[in-house]
């Protein structure tokens, strides 16, 4: 992996390109992703107390979640604003909204750390699996708090460090280190920060901050499907393997498939249990 650039604009451009490249794979694998992740989205919306008539911001929505789920909750009298850095991701999110007949969602291309909305413009803000990769967490969280109305809620889902949270990413990182001699402190997938989101939110002025674990499960038809999913939807692993030979890419998938054997069920399907943290606080 290339080290993160010291130029924020350059890093933003790199991230945009990486997510644009994998957007179509996210569309293809969406049933698998959302079958596992829907429960996390639902819990985030419950924690943020999202209901009819509210105005909600979904940061880094990807191809539309939990924005579209929130749109159903706020109803025609409410509105959801969904942002993402990737224009291609947002194109797919718009297609999904149109297919569902949702007209109360606006999609805006925006950097999660450069949000430009009026102060106090949202009743709730949600962010699924993004706050862990902030370059300037304090400023970003202060902005989020500023965008909320008094007593408005911010709910986010984040990954903890270690294999218990995301076994598939952990196994893939181990294979990558073995094959490509990556340093022990260099993983294809970003490592969650040591300081918890809870403490950072309190530092940014949020009150009544609390966190809870939420379990989810990803299921695949086979171990081969599972490895193909990983290298297609993960920008980090897609970039890592982009300059490798076809033989190296095939070997990577073969080794990862072997390590997935403990997760293979009697019918050949693969079931991987993840654990995420949902964190909520009030402005």
């Amino acid at each position: 992996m290339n080290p993160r650039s010291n130029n924020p604009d350059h890093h933003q451009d790199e991230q945009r390109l990486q997510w644009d490249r994998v957007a179509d794979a996210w569309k293809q694998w969406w049933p698998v992703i959302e079958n596992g992740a829907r429960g996390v989205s639902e819990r985030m919306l419950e924690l943020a107390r999202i209901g009819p008539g509210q105005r909600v911001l979904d940061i880094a929505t990807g191809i539309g979640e939990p924005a579209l789920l929130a749109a159903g909750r706020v109803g025609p009298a409410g509105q959801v604003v969904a942002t993402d850095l990737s224009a291609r991701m947002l194109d797919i999110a718009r297609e999904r909204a149109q297919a569902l007949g949702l007209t109360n969602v606006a999609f805006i291309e925006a950097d999660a750390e450069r949000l430009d909305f009026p102060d106090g413009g949202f009743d709730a803000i949600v962010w699924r699996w993004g706050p862990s990769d902030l370059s300037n967490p304090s400023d970003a969280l202060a902005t989020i708090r500023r965008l909320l109305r008094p007593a408005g809620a911010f709910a986010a889902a984040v990954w903890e460090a270690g294999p218990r949270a995301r076994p598939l990413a952990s196994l893939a990182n181990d294979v990558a280190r073995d094959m490509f001699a990556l340093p022990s402190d260099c993983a294809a997938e970003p490592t969650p920060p040591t300081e918890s989101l809870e403490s950072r939110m309190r530092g940014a002025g949020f009150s009544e901050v609390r966190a809870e674990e939420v379990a989810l499960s990803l299921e695949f038809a086979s171990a081969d499907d599972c490895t193909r999913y990983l290298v297609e939807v993960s920008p980090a692993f897609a970039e890592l393997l982009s300059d490798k030979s076809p033989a190296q890419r095939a070997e990577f998938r073969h080794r990862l498939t072997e390590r997935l054997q403990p997760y293979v069920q009697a019918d050949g399907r693969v079931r991987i249990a993840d654990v995420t943290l949902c964190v909520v606080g009030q402005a």
Side-chain angles (χ1 to χ4, degrees):
M1 294 292 292
N2 295 326
R4 174 179 285 187
S5 168
N6 291 326
N7 183 333
D9 291 328
H10 179 65
H11 176 60
Q12 181 192 56
D13 290 342
E14 285 184 336
Q15 282 196 319
R16 179 183 292 109
L17 287 173
Q18 289 173 7
W19 283 107
D20 280 348
R21 290 189 191 109
V22 300
D24 287 335
W26 273 72
K27 181 178 181 180
Q28 175 189 349
W29 288 102
W30 192 243
V32 170
I33 295 169
E34 207 53 28
N35 282 345
R38 184 180 175 92
V40 178
S41 293
E42 290 176 338
R43 185 55 184 152
M44 288 170 60
L45 301 189
E46 290 169 358
L47 290 171
R49 304 187 306 278
I50 291 173
Q54 289 188 335
R55 182 172 164 84
V56 177
L57 174 64
D58 178 17
I59 303 173
T61 191
I63 66 172
E65 294 299 345
L68 302 188
L69 193 61
R73 292 204 176 198
V74 302
Q79 186 187 34
V80 176
V81 177
T83 70
D84 202 90
L85 190 63
S86 165
R88 179 57 187 146
M89 286 281 195
L90 289 176
D91 286 343
I92 298 171
R94 288 188 189 95
E95 293 171 7
R96 295 186 60 238
Q98 290 171 1
L100 293 169
L102 296 171
T103 59
N104 59 345
V105 189
F107 298 96
I108 299 175
E109 187 176 337
D111 181 356
E113 298 194 62
R114 299 179 184 180
L115 298 172
D116 187 17
F117 297 104
D119 291 1
F122 297 98
D123 298 289
I125 297 176
V126 292
W127 192 349
R128 191 175 78 177
W129 298 317
S132 297
D133 197 31
L134 291 169
S135 61
N136 194 329
S138 297
D139 286 354
L141 291 171
T143 297
I144 290 170
R145 182 169 175 265
R146 176 172 53 80
L147 297 181
L148 284 166
R149 292 172 183 162
F154 171 51
V158 292
W159 297 110
E160 290 187 305
R164 177 172 175 265
R166 291 185 294 171
L168 178 57
S170 181
L171 291 173
N173 273 321
D174 289 345
V175 173
R177 290 192 185 98
D178 291 345
M179 286 190 64
F180 308 124
L182 299 178
S184 59
D185 60 348
C186 178
E189 288 284 282
T191 301
T194 54
E195 185 180 0
S196 70
L197 180 60
E198 294 169 83
S199 62
R200 286 177 167 170
M201 285 175 62
R202 292 189 182 98
F206 285 91
S207 63
E208 298 185 32
V209 178
R210 66 186 190 280
E212 63 179 54
E213 288 189 351
V214 178
L216 61 147
S217 179
L218 295 177
E219 297 194 17
F220 304 89
S222 66
D224 184 65
D225 269 9
C226 184
T227 58
R228 187 161 58 88
Y229 156 85
L230 176 85
V231 300
E232 290 179 359
V233 305
S234 166
F237 284 106
E239 183 185 355
L240 176 69
L241 298 171
S242 64
D243 61 350
K244 304 300 186 289
S245 69
Q248 286 177 309
R249 291 195 291 270
E251 178 64 16
F252 176 86
R253 288 179 57 179
H254 173 70
R255 293 193 189 187
L256 181 55
T257 297
E258 287 186 330
R259 298 207 184 193
L260 285 169
Q261 292 311 302
Y263 300 92
V264 177
Q265 309 299 303
D267 61 359
R269 299 184 65 83
V270 172
R271 183 178 298 113
I272 299 179
D274 294 351
V275 178
T276 193
L277 278 181
C278 285
V279 186
V280 64
Q282 288 188 359

